[in-house]
């Protein structure tokens, strides 16, 4: 109920004797009425109203409080001001009689008694002193009131409306798209301006909500991956089911780690959770790579020796970046992937790779020297699990342990890759690691027997020895597969070695 409309006409005629009260008369009535009124259910801002029959009014605007000199006496006026009147500044009459006035924005905030400065003193004050004593505090009070209402009330405040538009509602697609910027440009602009490793949430949501899905391109642990279009550009959308909300949140969080962006880590674009009334749709939007995963790619393509080195080097570079801790205010924690495999690596158009599917990754917090989530260490894909995971001997409190398991998996990915290297038309068919030693969906026990007990590793064929680059690849694999994790190469070492072979 908004009573302010009935109050202000009275206020405009505020010199009428019957509509004003002395401070003493007002304060008794006011206090009693507040307690009566707060028990009633109401949505607007409640104010003391000396010109209303029940001495209370309600408004979406502000409470008014003023005191004026009338026939040599202080006369107080308290009422409501509607948002419309605030905008039009109707509530700020310039009557020279009104000497103190203020707007405030919390329930019954005008339940205080304003007094005029003593006339004798007043007349002796210069204009500057007057301004400091009257205008500044009143101005500050009004400002504080506006700030308070903008923070606490989310309805009729015009300032808040602006803020609400910024935070809650997506920018119009038009404004985002009409900028003519590609997603790459947007990400470049917005992430190099210090907003960490992700676009502002508002932009993420706006992009996500204007994507048109085309077809499914993959399926993994958590639902489906789709190709979609945003403003003419292809994007990949990983859709999680609502029961996997934690995985969605975790993957989005990891992708938005400060300084994570790297040309060989899948480019994250947006995360969005959209409630359609029945269930929540959880989306992760990323750059789309038409070749799909390295697994898909190797199944239908062979690769030249140079191509092998370029692919391998890019994977090692991405992993080295993931593993690396960058120290500084814009630093990056060390991250271990924990599910590195050919299905979680994507092949880009330019013949390099991007590491994807960071949903199981763990970060190292160097301040507390802790891993950031309580770790269920037996996660990942059994076929790619390092021996220390299979026999449950991994030290889960040390990020280096997890990095070493990634290196073991990296060696297996290199093995899949080099098998598809074609020299003079000769190459092997595509196979998963341990394809000839374990069943198609191996259990942890199947893997443990082979990898830990029998200490077997994928076969490195003799023909690789005839090519220097492939011989080097074989040596790297061997040094990724040591049973002792600490003896394995680091991603950075592998990257450096491979760089030397790049033509
Ligand atoms: P999950 O967590 O369910 O395993 P992934 O992120 O690994 O999901 O994606 C599953 C599959 O979807 C990948 O193996 C790949 O074939 C395809 N895929 C995922 N992201 C992309 C992308 N950005 N571009 C092209 N294909 C993708
Ligand atoms: Mg996956």
């Amino acid at each position: 109920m908004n009573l302010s409309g009935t109050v202000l006409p009275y206020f405009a005629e505020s010199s009428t004797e019957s509509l004003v009260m002395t401070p003493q008369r007002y304060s008794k009535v006011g206090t009693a009425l507040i307690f009566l009124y707060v028990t009633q259910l109401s949505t607007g801002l409640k104010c003391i109203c000396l010109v209303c029959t029940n001495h209370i009014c309600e408004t979406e605007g502000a409470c008014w409080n003023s005191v004026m000199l009338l026939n040599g006496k202080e006369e107080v006026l308290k009422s409501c001001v509607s948002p419309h009147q605030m905008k039009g500044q109707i509530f700020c009459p310039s009557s020279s009689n009104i000497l103190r006035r203020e707007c405030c924005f919390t329930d019954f905030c005008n339940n205080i008694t304003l007094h005029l400065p003593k006339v004798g003193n007043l007349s002796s004050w210069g204009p500057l002193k007057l301004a400091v004593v009257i205008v500044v505090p009143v101005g500050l009070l009004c400002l504080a009131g506006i700030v308070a209402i903008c923070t606490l009330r989310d309805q009729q405040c015009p300032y808040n409306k602006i803020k609400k538009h910024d935070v809650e509602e997506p920018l119009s697609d038009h404004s985002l798209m009409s900028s003519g910027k590609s997603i790459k440009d947007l990400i470049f602009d917005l992430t190099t301006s210090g907003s960490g490793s992700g676009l502002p949430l508002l932009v993420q949501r706006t992009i996500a909500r204007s994507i048109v899905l085309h077809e499914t391109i993959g399926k993994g642990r958590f639902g489906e991956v789709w190709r979609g279009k945003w403003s003419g550009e292809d994007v990949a959308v990983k859709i999680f089911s609502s029961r996997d909300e934690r995985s969605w949140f975790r993957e989005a969080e990891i992708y938005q780690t400060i300084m994570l962006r790297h040309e060989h880590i899948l480019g994250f674009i947006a995360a969005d959770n959209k409630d359609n009334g029945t269930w929540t749709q959880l989306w992760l939007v990323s750059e789309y790579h038409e070749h799909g995963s390295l697994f898909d790619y190797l199944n239908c393509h062979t690769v030249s020796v140079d191509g092998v080195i370029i692919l391998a080097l890019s994977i090692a570079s991405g992993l080295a970046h993931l593993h690396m801790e960058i120290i500084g205010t814009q630093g990056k924690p060390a991250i271990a992937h924990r599910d590195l495999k050919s299905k979680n690596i994507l092949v880009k158009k330019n013949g390099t790779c991007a590491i994807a599917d960071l949903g199981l990754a763990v970060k190292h917090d160097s301040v507390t020297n802790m891993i950031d989530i309580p770790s269920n260490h037996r996660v990942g894909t059994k076929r790619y699990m390092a021996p220390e995971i299979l026999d449950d001997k991994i030290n889960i409190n040390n990020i280096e342990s997890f990095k070493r398991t990634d290196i073991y998996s990296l060696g297996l990915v290199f093995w899949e890759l080099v098998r598809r290297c074609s020299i003079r038309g000769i190459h092997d068919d595509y196979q998963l690691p341990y394809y000839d030693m374990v069943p198609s969906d191996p259990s942890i026990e199947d893997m443990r027997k082979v990898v830990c007990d029998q200490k077997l590793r994928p076969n490195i064929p003799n023909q690789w020895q005839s090519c220097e680059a492939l011989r080097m690849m074989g040596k790297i694999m061997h040094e990724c597969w040591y049973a002792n994790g600490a003896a394995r190469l680091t991603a950075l070492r592998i990257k450096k070695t491979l760089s030397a072979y790049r033509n």
Side-chain angles (χ1 to χ4, degrees):
M1 184 174 59
N2 188 344
L3 297 176
S4 57
T6 58
V7 171
L8 261 282
Y10 287 116
F11 170 66
E13 300 162 35
S14 58
S15 61
T16 314
E17 233 354 295
S18 62
L19 296 181
V20 291
M21 288 176 97
T22 61
Q24 291 76 16
R25 275 162 70 199
Y26 136 73
S27 71
K28 276 187 202 141
V29 179
T31 319
L33 282 169
I34 285 170
F35 291 109
L36 267 176
Y37 203 85
V38 289
T39 55
Q40 296 175 17
L41 265 183
S42 162
T43 52
L45 171 68
K46 293 176 270 298
C47 311
I48 296 295
C49 175
L50 303 182
V51 292
C52 310
T53 42
N54 63 353
H55 296 278
I56 300 278
C57 59
E58 195 174 320
T59 179
E60 304 294 348
C63 297
W64 172 263
N65 195 3
S66 71
V67 59
M68 72 183 88
L69 205 57
L70 206 65
N71 301 329
K73 268 173 45 193
E74 281 185 2
E75 298 290 353
V76 171
L77 186 78
K78 295 169 190 292
S79 62
C80 285
V81 182
S82 72
H84 174 70
Q85 288 155 339
M86 285 175 76
K87 248 192 270 166
Q89 307 236 315
I90 299 164
F91 70 107
C92 292
S94 58
S95 162
S96 58
N97 278 339
I98 298 179
L99 294 176
R100 289 196 64 187
R101 57 171 170 251
E102 64 188 36
C103 294
C104 55
F105 302 89
T106 52
D107 283 349
F108 303 112
C109 56
N110 62 344
N111 186 28
I112 52 163
T113 307
L114 298 178
H115 288 289
L116 296 175
K118 287 277 171 289
V119 177
N121 291 347
L122 205 72
S123 55
S124 62
W125 285 358
L128 188 68
K129 207 167 175 185
L130 262 177
V132 170
V133 172
I134 298 172
V135 179
V136 173
V138 170
L140 283 177
L141 266 172
C142 276
L143 194 68
I146 288 168
V147 170
I149 198 170
C150 287
T151 316
L152 297 172
R153 294 163 48 82
D154 56 357
Q155 288 172 340
Q156 294 294 322
C157 176
Y159 298 88
N160 204 40
K161 271 189 185 156
I162 295 162
K163 200 173 125 203
K164 220 181 151 182
H165 179 79
D166 284 352
V167 176
E168 300 282 337
E169 292 173 25
L171 287 171
S172 75
D173 303 341
H174 178 72
S175 61
L176 208 63
M177 290 190 232
S178 64
S179 67
K181 293 204 162 170
S182 67
I183 291 177
K184 257 204 182 96
D185 294 340
L186 269 177
I187 288 173
F188 183 81
D189 288 356
L190 291 158
T191 56
T192 47
S193 60
S195 56
S197 209
L199 292 167
L201 292 182
L202 175 68
V203 179
Q204 289 191 27
R205 175 165 288 186
T206 305
I207 291 175
R209 294 191 182 181
S210 47
I211 289 172
V212 179
L213 296 179
H214 283 243
E215 77 266 339
T216 46
I217 51 173
K219 226 172 163 44
R221 263 189 325 258
F222 307 115
E224 289 178 331
V225 181
W226 286 69
R227 180 179 69 85
K229 283 261 184 207
W230 181 78
S231 192
E233 277 181 77
D234 280 322
V235 290
V237 182
K238 184 162 162 180
I239 303 180
F240 293 68
S241 64
S242 3
R243 70 166 185 279
D244 292 322
E245 182 163 6
R246 282 176 62 173
S247 312
W248 165 81
F249 186 85
R250 176 66 180 166
E251 192 162 357
E253 185 191 22
I254 292 275
Y255 270 116
Q256 291 175 95
T257 305
I258 295 176
M259 302 279 285
L260 180 67
R261 275 191 184 280
H262 188 271
E263 63 173 314
H264 302 305
I265 293 177
L266 177 61
F268 171 82
I269 297 170
D272 186 34
N273 52 340
K274 188 163 62 178
D275 200 330
N276 69 1
T278 319
W279 74 91
T280 312
Q281 291 196 338
L282 304 167
W283 283 21
L284 275 191
V285 184
S286 64
E287 286 171 6
Y288 169 75
H289 298 297
E290 64 188 49
H291 288 309
S293 70
L294 183 64
F295 172 84
D296 298 331
Y297 188 81
L298 295 178
N299 263 280
C300 45
H301 295 89
T302 58
V303 192
S304 68
V305 176
D306 285 351
V308 164
I309 299 297
I310 290 168
L311 287 166
L313 175 58
S314 65
I315 303 167
S317 304
L319 192 63
H321 182 71
L322 201 63
H323 282 182
M324 181 170 35
E325 181 185 355
I326 301 172
I327 296 167
T329 40
Q330 282 281 303
K332 169 196 161 295
I335 299 175
H337 189 288
R338 299 205 300 165
D339 196 18
L340 197 68
K341 58 178 178 178
S342 52
K343 287 183 181 168
N344 286 340
I345 295 170
L346 301 169
V347 177
K348 307 214 275 189
K349 246 195 200 139
N350 67 0
T352 67
C353 287
I355 296 176
D357 197 354
L358 298 187
L360 289 175
V362 286
K363 291 190 204 182
H364 176 240
D365 182 337
S366 60
V367 177
T368 58
N369 192 25
M370 304 266 275
I371 311 274
D372 73 330
I373 49 164
S375 176
N376 171 2
H377 51 281
R378 280 237 177 121
V379 296
T381 306
K382 294 170 198 120
R383 187 182 292 275
Y384 290 82
M385 277 180 184
E388 61 272 26
I389 304 178
L390 293 168
D391 66 9
D392 215 354
K393 291 198 175 133
I394 184 173
N395 174 4
I396 57 166
N397 299 316
N398 186 354
I399 188 74
E400 295 305 319
S401 316
F402 290 112
K403 289 188 195 172
R404 290 164 189 160
T405 67
D406 282 349
I407 296 294
Y408 170 87
S409 314
L410 178 71
L412 297 179
V413 171
F414 280 4
W415 177 86
E416 293 170 73
L417 173 60
V418 176
R419 272 179 66 93
R420 298 297 282 155
C421 181
S422 185
I423 305 179
R424 288 179 294 275
I426 300 170
H427 51 264
D428 285 321
D429 57 347
Y430 174 81
Q431 291 295 348
L432 281 167
Y434 300 107
Y435 73 103
D436 49 351
M437 301 175 217
V438 295
S440 64
D441 183 16
S443 64
I444 287 194
E445 190 50 22
D446 292 332
M447 292 306 305
R448 198 193 57 74
K449 275 186 196 146
V450 169
V451 176
C452 303
D453 293 354
Q454 299 171 44
K455 301 193 186 327
L456 294 176
R457 298 291 185 271
N459 179 44
I460 294 180
N462 280 336
Q463 63 263 30
W464 293 4
Q465 307 301 321
S466 62
C467 165
E468 200 198 333
L470 298 194
R471 194 166 55 240
M472 177 270 303
M473 287 293 292
K475 186 164 178 285
I476 290 176
M477 289 172 214
H478 181 72
E479 294 181 39
C480 288
W481 291 337
Y482 289 129
N484 173 12
R488 293 174 201 150
L489 297 170
T490 63
L492 197 60
R493 182 71 258 157
I494 297 169
K495 178 184 162 184
K496 285 182 179 164
T497 305
L498 287 170
S499 302
Y501 282 82
R502 205 178 155 185
N503 290 321

